[in-house]
Amino acid sequence: VARLAGVHASTVSRFFSHPAVISARTAARIESAVTELGYAPNLVARSLASSKGRLVALLVPDLAYSNFNEAIEEITSGLANADMNVMLCLTGSSPERTEQLIAAAMRWRVDAVIAWTPIPPGGAKLLRASGTSVLQISDVSSDPVDLGIGFNEFEAGRALARFVGERGYVRPYLVATMGPYSARRREGFVKEWRRLNGSKATEQRIDPPANFQQGRRIFADIRRLKRRPDVVVCASDYLAQAIIVEAGASGLRVPDDLAVIGFGNTPMAGDMRPTITTVDLHTKRIPAEVLSVLDARGRGETLPRQHIDLGFDIIARESA
Amino acid sequence: VARLAGVHASTVSRFFSHPAVISARTAARIESAVTELGYAPNLVARSLASSKGRLVALLVPDLAYSNFNEAIEEITSGLANADMNVMLCLTGSSPERTEQLIAAAMRWRVDAVIAWTPIPPGGAKLLRASGTSVLQISDVSSDPVDLGIGFNEFEAGRALARFVGERGYVRPYLVATMGPYSARRREGFVKEWRRLNGSKATEQRIDPPANFQQGRRIFADIRRLKRRPDVVVCASDYLAQAIIVEAGASGLRVPDDLAVIGFGNTPMAGDMRPTITTVDLHTKRIPAEVLSVLDARGRGETLPRQHIDLGFDIIARESA
DNA sequence: CTGAAAGCGCTTACAG
DNA sequence: CTGAAAGCGCTTACAG
């Protein structure tokens, strides 16, 4: 490889890693040799030798009905553009599996892990021991292993309660998924609702994922209630979509007979009939933040352990 | 590490890779040392030394509205269970990006690449040069780089045309995405329809992804037609879902005024109102096939270059 | 600016 | 069954 260019292997290595150092003449010679041989450095060896693998682990609970696939896509594409590869780790919301996957990521010596799912204590320990950059997309109230980014679930819950009240609804039905983050949102909603109205919000807890399928069951539950709620506050846009569909099938008008609020502001929400009132989580900002953090760390800057608040917005549309 | 157990490093290595060879006594000693130190072998080094990285590249066009996220999930989980990690490569249906990602995967010396997206000639060349196992999920009529798996798009199109005819529809509206695979399906539909009815099917080509958003526009196009079709044959269940929603919003009954057929048999299809008639592609079988192939290759078996036909089924439900 | 050497942390024939 | 040695393909101080 280096022989063809008539230089030492270390010079070829520099050609790739520190091109600025190389003289124009040798660079040209190496260049032509490289193209002639179709050579591309072995990244496994590079990673081992330099401990900079440009590999990032992405931990997500699932792909199938995620509110966040678009953000995941953008993160992945952004990383690819920055010449980094991503290891896909599907946790299925299982702490054991999450820990296993973190262990595997550590063994691959990933440069960073991006987690859109809770990190169990065992996983946090592994992460801390390794000193890897960790970016957790999570509630601001959570205590991040390293860097956190996300919105304030509790405040989102409160804001939803206020919104529901301002719109004149009096019997909200709250659908929350189990899990640490949405638990805070639920809490915010319930507390604020009580504070404002002195009454309890009806609620239902479901297991993730908050997908279309679950909506049908939830609607059936709602129908069975002696007193129908006037608004359903959902844990995802897919749930909201399904409830709207079910409502339509049973002759209820949305929002007149039953209002519906989603969560996540997926593009579908704006195209549904009626369009879905929902909460935008500013996830579009995540990829850029992730990349800037990784970049800063890559340059050796020391970022403090902190949480970046992305904020959120309630998007009022037709469904509520 | 090995010192604590009082053995040579190579013995520790064997403890992990060939445990059967180790005596019970030393195995126990190593075991305790390993747990005490919390040691786990560096996979980068293992990969470099053994050229068996247990790393697989997964090439998919997108995540956001894929018909196939569930299958992707299953493949990924299946691989994780088999102690393999996956590199996520999002091609965005771009040949250039696909080629770049394949190049990166080769540089990571992945054991296999699973591609649910067309492989451009440049990528195929890289793949062939490296001798990596390639599993393409694609039309059976395509010429796989190595191993192919999937159904026959052309026959699926023909079957749909027959189904539509048998159900008594006379003015089908075919929505096909651009792209090599669905082009074959389109062709099958158009040819079979002409053969049976002597008439041309109305059609519309769209760019991927065939997501909910596009459905609204398509429905608007359909409304503008002087003569309304009696059935819309969609490129995905999401498209079908959106068209059903739009139809409902404009007072058309499905299937009486307008029938709709999806593609892919996502779980949502069975829960929609009305439930969506669609095509099941037997993608559930893919993970097992992928794993068995990888396993066979891992054991050194030589599998011939071939295409596995998964077949398909039209699932008749309420929407058509 | 470039070469020679050591090293990254494993695996794997080869002896014993 | 285990040890000693070489090697996987790079990078990176260290000289020059």
Side-chain angles (χ1 to χ4, degrees), chain B residues 10 13-14 39 46 49:
Chain B
S10 56
S13 171
R14 282 188 201 98
Y39 167 79
R46 170 178 292 180

Side-chain angles (χ1 to χ4, degrees), chain B residues 212-253:
Chain B
F212 191 89
Q213 281 62 55
Q214 299 221 49
R216 190 164 198 166
R217 195 169 48 67
I218 292 168
F219 185 78
D221 293 340
I222 291 173
R223 286 245 89 171
R224 249 179 261 118
L225 261 38
K226 47 264 124 229
R227 257 200 116 185
R228 196 165 66 217
D230 52 4
V231 60
V232 187
V233 180
C234 297
S236 82
D237 286 347
Y238 299 107
L239 233 43
Q241 183 187 34
I243 288 173
I244 289 171
V245 165
E246 287 292 317
S250 56
L252 291 185
R253 288 162 307 160

Side-chain angles (χ1 to χ4, degrees), chain A residues 221-297:
Chain A
D221 293 340
I222 290 173
R223 286 245 90 169
R224 248 180 261 118
L225 262 38
K226 46 258 131 238
R227 257 198 117 187
R228 197 167 62 217
D230 52 4
V231 60
V232 187
V233 180
C234 298
S236 82
D237 287 346
Y238 299 107
L239 234 43
Q241 183 186 35
I243 288 173
I244 290 171
V245 165
E246 287 291 318
S250 56
L252 292 185
R253 287 160 308 158
V254 175
D256 301 339
D257 299 324
L258 183 69
V260 180
I261 298 177
F263 195 79
N265 196 24
T266 57
M268 172 275 291
D271 283 309
M272 187 60 188
R273 299 291 192 124
T275 55
I276 301 176
T277 293
T278 186
V279 182
D280 188 289
L281 305 176
H282 300 175
T283 49
K284 286 193 178 19
R285 296 188 197 157
I286 294 179
E289 295 282 357
V290 167
L291 288 171
S292 88
V293 165
L294 256 35
D295 197 48
R297 285 278 173 83

Side-chain angles (χ1 to χ4, degrees), chain A residues 10 13-14 39 42 45-46 49:
Chain A
S10 56
S13 171
R14 282 190 201 96
Y39 167 79
N42 178 330
R46 169 177 293 181

Side-chain angles (χ1 to χ4, degrees), chain A residues 19 60 69 71 81 138 166 169 182 194 214 217 291 320:
Chain A
V60 290
N69 276 348
N81 288 335
S138 63
E166 282 160 16
Y169 298 110
S182 45
R194 185 162 36 211
Q214 298 221 48
R217 196 169 46 68
L291 288 171

Side-chain angles (χ1 to χ4, degrees), chain B residues 83-145:
Chain B
D83 212 32
M84 299 200 240
N85 293 109
V86 353
M87 229 179 90
L88 178 62
C89 303
L90 253 33
T91 68
S93 299
S94 144
E96 296 76 37
R97 180 163 278 254
T98 305
E99 191 169 333
Q100 283 166 16
L101 288 165
I102 290 173
M106 297 299 92
R107 295 177 60 188
W108 273 106
R109 299 293 187 268
V110 301
D111 298 310
V113 352
I114 301 171
W116 205 324
T117 186
I119 294 179
K125 207 174 136 195
L126 286 171
L127 254 10
R128 260 189 284 261
S130 71
T132 313
S133 284
V134 183
L135 254 131
Q136 284 170 270
I137 299 164
S138 63
D139 181 32
V140 294
S141 77
S142 67
D143 188 33
V145 172

